Short mmCIF file of all heavy atoms in Angstrom, two decimals:
data_model
loop_
_atom_site.label_atom_id
_atom_site.label_comp_id
_atom_site.label_asym_id
_atom_site.label_seq_id
_atom_site.Cartn_x
_atom_site.Cartn_y
_atom_site.Cartn_z
N LEU V 93 42.45 -7.14 -11.03
CA LEU V 93 42.71 -5.72 -10.81
C LEU V 93 42.48 -4.90 -12.07
O LEU V 93 42.10 -3.75 -12.01
CB LEU V 93 44.17 -5.50 -10.37
CG LEU V 93 44.53 -5.85 -8.94
CD1 LEU V 93 46.03 -5.66 -8.73
CD2 LEU V 93 43.76 -5.00 -7.95
N PRO V 197 48.17 -17.89 -4.88
CA PRO V 197 48.93 -17.70 -6.12
C PRO V 197 50.43 -17.89 -5.86
O PRO V 197 50.92 -17.54 -4.78
CB PRO V 197 48.64 -16.25 -6.51
CG PRO V 197 47.48 -15.82 -5.69
CD PRO V 197 47.46 -16.67 -4.46
N CYS V 213 50.96 -5.06 -8.14
CA CYS V 213 50.51 -5.57 -6.83
C CYS V 213 50.22 -4.39 -5.88
O CYS V 213 51.11 -3.60 -5.57
CB CYS V 213 51.57 -6.48 -6.22
SG CYS V 213 51.06 -7.07 -4.59
N PRO V 214 49.01 -4.31 -5.39
CA PRO V 214 48.63 -3.13 -4.58
C PRO V 214 49.18 -3.16 -3.15
O PRO V 214 49.13 -2.15 -2.46
CB PRO V 214 47.09 -3.20 -4.56
CG PRO V 214 46.77 -4.63 -4.79
CD PRO V 214 47.88 -5.22 -5.60
N VAL V 215 49.69 -4.32 -2.72
CA VAL V 215 50.17 -4.41 -1.33
C VAL V 215 51.65 -4.79 -1.24
O VAL V 215 52.13 -5.22 -0.19
CB VAL V 215 49.30 -5.43 -0.53
CG1 VAL V 215 47.91 -4.87 -0.29
CG2 VAL V 215 49.23 -6.78 -1.22
N ALA V 217 53.35 -7.27 -2.30
CA ALA V 217 53.52 -8.63 -1.77
C ALA V 217 54.55 -9.43 -2.55
O ALA V 217 54.88 -10.55 -2.16
CB ALA V 217 52.18 -9.36 -1.77
N ILE V 218 55.05 -8.88 -3.67
CA ILE V 218 56.00 -9.64 -4.50
C ILE V 218 57.42 -9.15 -4.20
O ILE V 218 57.78 -8.02 -4.52
CB ILE V 218 55.64 -9.54 -5.99
CG1 ILE V 218 54.20 -10.04 -6.19
CG2 ILE V 218 56.62 -10.35 -6.85
CD1 ILE V 218 53.63 -9.83 -7.55
N ILE V 223 56.02 -14.56 -4.06
CA ILE V 223 54.88 -13.93 -3.40
C ILE V 223 54.96 -14.18 -1.90
O ILE V 223 55.06 -15.33 -1.45
CB ILE V 223 53.54 -14.46 -3.97
CG1 ILE V 223 53.40 -14.04 -5.44
CG2 ILE V 223 52.36 -13.95 -3.15
CD1 ILE V 223 52.17 -14.56 -6.15
N CYS V 228 50.00 -11.12 0.70
CA CYS V 228 49.16 -11.28 -0.50
C CYS V 228 47.68 -11.29 -0.14
O CYS V 228 47.25 -11.99 0.78
CB CYS V 228 49.54 -12.59 -1.19
SG CYS V 228 48.50 -12.95 -2.62
N LEU V 229 46.89 -10.52 -0.88
CA LEU V 229 45.43 -10.48 -0.67
C LEU V 229 44.69 -11.29 -1.73
O LEU V 229 43.46 -11.20 -1.85
CB LEU V 229 44.94 -9.03 -0.66
CG LEU V 229 45.38 -8.20 0.54
CD1 LEU V 229 44.91 -6.75 0.41
CD2 LEU V 229 44.86 -8.79 1.85
N LYS V 230 45.42 -12.06 -2.50
CA LYS V 230 44.85 -13.02 -3.45
C LYS V 230 43.87 -12.39 -4.44
O LYS V 230 42.81 -12.95 -4.72
CB LYS V 230 44.20 -14.19 -2.69
CG LYS V 230 45.20 -14.94 -1.82
CD LYS V 230 44.57 -16.09 -1.11
CE LYS V 230 44.58 -15.92 0.36
NZ LYS V 230 44.08 -17.01 1.13
N CYS V 231 44.27 -11.23 -4.95
CA CYS V 231 43.39 -10.53 -5.90
C CYS V 231 43.50 -11.10 -7.31
O CYS V 231 42.65 -10.84 -8.15
CB CYS V 231 43.71 -9.04 -5.91
SG CYS V 231 45.33 -8.65 -6.59
N THR V 232 44.59 -11.80 -7.61
CA THR V 232 44.93 -12.39 -8.92
C THR V 232 45.39 -11.33 -9.94
O THR V 232 45.54 -11.64 -11.12
CB THR V 232 43.79 -13.24 -9.55
OG1 THR V 232 42.74 -12.38 -10.03
CG2 THR V 232 43.23 -14.25 -8.57
N GLY V 233 45.65 -10.12 -9.50
CA GLY V 233 46.12 -9.08 -10.42
C GLY V 233 47.44 -9.46 -11.09
O GLY V 233 47.65 -9.18 -12.27
N CYS V 234 48.35 -10.10 -10.33
CA CYS V 234 49.65 -10.49 -10.90
C CYS V 234 49.45 -11.50 -12.04
O CYS V 234 50.10 -11.41 -13.09
CB CYS V 234 50.55 -11.07 -9.82
SG CYS V 234 49.74 -12.27 -8.75
S1 LIG S 2 50.73 -10.99 -5.07
FE1 LIG S 2 48.73 -11.26 -4.20
S2 LIG S 2 48.01 -9.20 -3.72
FE2 LIG S 2 49.76 -9.00 -5.12
S3 LIG S 2 48.83 -8.88 -7.15
FE3 LIG S 2 49.31 -11.04 -6.78
S4 LIG S 2 47.44 -11.90 -5.92
FE4 LIG S 2 47.27 -9.65 -5.77
#
Side-chain angles (χ1 to χ4, degrees):
L93 284 176
C213 178
V215 289
I218 302 172
I223 294 177
C228 176
L229 291 176
K230 300 182 244 184
C231 68
T232 73
C234 46

